[in-house]
């Protein structure tokens, strides 16, 4: 538990990265293998990630992010996507439970029907909200897992999502929730942590 508290304390939003610090696909996969264990509503695993390593594509991501230098100096740019149609994959996702004998065929059919019906009854605005909620949960775990592996990150909303989706050929099925830059921070340029409200201001008990 002490290690986790230390990890949370060390994680900061990095605004300035050391250039020329490459990150490998193997290192990224180690992070994503932790991320896949994160929670999601109905275990639908709404979140998809697009990792941009190519320098030319990174430059396009920088342009879409209003020229922010941290996009260019980062080791990789991660686009966090929320799948607005994730519920349509319920049958495939739950199939393993049935095959392993954890649930029988009747229970499997009921799980699929209940999940799909729950989403279909609530409409497209709910699908978008769910994509954002679940992708945000996953993104936080990504940043903590990255820090545990020695990488610094910064979550970003200051980008043109339509432009990014066009450049990366991403369909409208996905909501571009966040852009995350990852790399090695220039610690000498780090500013003090921003003010944090005391818990009495944001927690109430009833």
């Amino acid at each position: 538990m002490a290690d986790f508290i230390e990890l949370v304390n060390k994680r900061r939003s990095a605004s300035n990265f050391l250039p020329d610090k490459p990150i490998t696909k193997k290192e990224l996969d180690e992070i994503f293998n932790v991320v896949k264990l994160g929670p999601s509503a109905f275990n639908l695993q709404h979140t998809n990630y697009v990792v941009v390593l190519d320098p030319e594509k990174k430059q396009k991501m920088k342009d879409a992010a209003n020229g922010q230098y941290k996009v260019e100096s980062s080791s990789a740019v991660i686009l966090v996507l929320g799948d607005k149609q994730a519920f349509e994959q319920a049958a495939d996702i739950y199939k393993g439970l049935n095959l392993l004998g954890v649930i029988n065929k009747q229970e499997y059919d009921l799980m699929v029907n209940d999940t799909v019906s729950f989403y279909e009854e609530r409409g497209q605005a709910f699908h978008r909200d769910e994509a954002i909620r679940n992708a945000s949960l996953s993104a936080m775990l990504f940043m903590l897992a990255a820090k545990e592996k020695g990488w610094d990150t910064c979550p970003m909303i200051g980008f043109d999502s339509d432009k990014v989706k066009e450049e990366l050929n991403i369909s409208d099925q996905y909501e571009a929730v966040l852009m995350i830059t990852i790399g090695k921070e220039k610690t000498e340029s780090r500013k003090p942590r921003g003010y944090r409200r005391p818990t009495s201001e944001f927690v109430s008990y009833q």
Side-chain angles (χ1 to χ4, degrees):
M1 184 60 69
D3 290 341
F4 175 73
I5 300 300
E6 183 180 3
L7 180 65
V8 172
N9 280 320
K10 285 184 176 180
R11 192 217 61 81
R12 301 281 299 278
S13 292
S15 58
N16 201 358
F17 294 102
L18 293 167
D20 304 318
K21 293 288 184 180
I23 186 170
T24 65
K25 291 181 180 179
K26 180 178 182 295
E27 289 170 308
L28 286 161
D29 283 342
E30 289 176 352
I31 295 171
F32 287 122
N33 276 323
V34 175
V35 172
K36 72 180 183 182
L37 301 176
S40 62
F42 297 93
N43 193 35
L44 291 176
Q45 302 166 58
H46 307 65
T47 314
N48 286 260
Y49 291 86
V50 177
V51 181
V52 180
L53 295 167
D54 179 78
E56 290 185 11
K57 289 185 178 180
K58 277 179 63 184
Q59 185 61 48
K60 291 180 179 179
M61 295 301 98
K62 178 185 176 183
D63 295 341
N66 306 307
Q68 295 182 67
Y69 178 68
K70 60 189 167 190
V71 177
E72 180 181 332
S73 63
S74 67
S75 303
V77 179
I78 317 289
L79 192 66
V80 186
L81 305 175
D83 186 353
K84 292 178 282 189
Q85 299 173 21
F87 66 95
E88 296 178 358
Q89 305 301 316
D92 290 334
I93 289 172
Y94 301 156
K95 188 181 296 182
L97 293 174
N98 177 229
L99 294 175
L100 291 171
V102 177
I103 56 175
N104 60 37
K105 182 63 165 59
Q106 183 179 3
E107 291 170 324
Y108 165 77
D109 290 339
L110 186 62
M111 280 182 67
V112 173
N113 181 69
D114 284 352
T115 300
V116 173
S117 296
F118 180 86
Y119 278 84
E120 287 182 338
E121 290 169 0
R122 285 159 176 77
Q124 293 184 0
F126 179 78
H127 301 167
R128 180 178 182 272
D129 289 347
E130 274 289 88
I132 294 171
R133 271 191 288 264
N134 286 278
S136 298
L137 277 172
S138 183
M140 186 69 250
L141 184 53
F142 174 88
M143 289 185 285
L144 288 172
K147 187 62 182 175
E148 197 275 334
K149 298 291 185 183
W151 295 94
D152 301 297
T153 56
C154 184
M156 301 167 56
I157 60 169
F159 64 95
D160 185 329
S161 60
D162 290 334
K163 190 173 182 179
V164 165
K165 288 172 70 175
E166 181 181 353
E167 292 288 356
L168 299 178
N169 195 29
I170 296 168
S171 78
D172 288 336
Q173 175 178 340
Y174 300 97
E175 189 74 20
V177 177
L178 287 170
M179 181 182 287
I180 299 177
T181 46
I182 183 170
K184 300 288 186 178
E185 185 183 18
K186 286 184 177 180
T187 53
E188 66 273 14
S189 66
R190 179 186 294 171
K191 297 178 181 179
R193 187 187 291 277
Y195 168 74
R196 293 298 191 268
R197 295 158 58 200
T199 55
S200 60
E201 290 187 7
F202 66 89
V203 180
S204 62
Y205 295 92
Q206 298 186 17

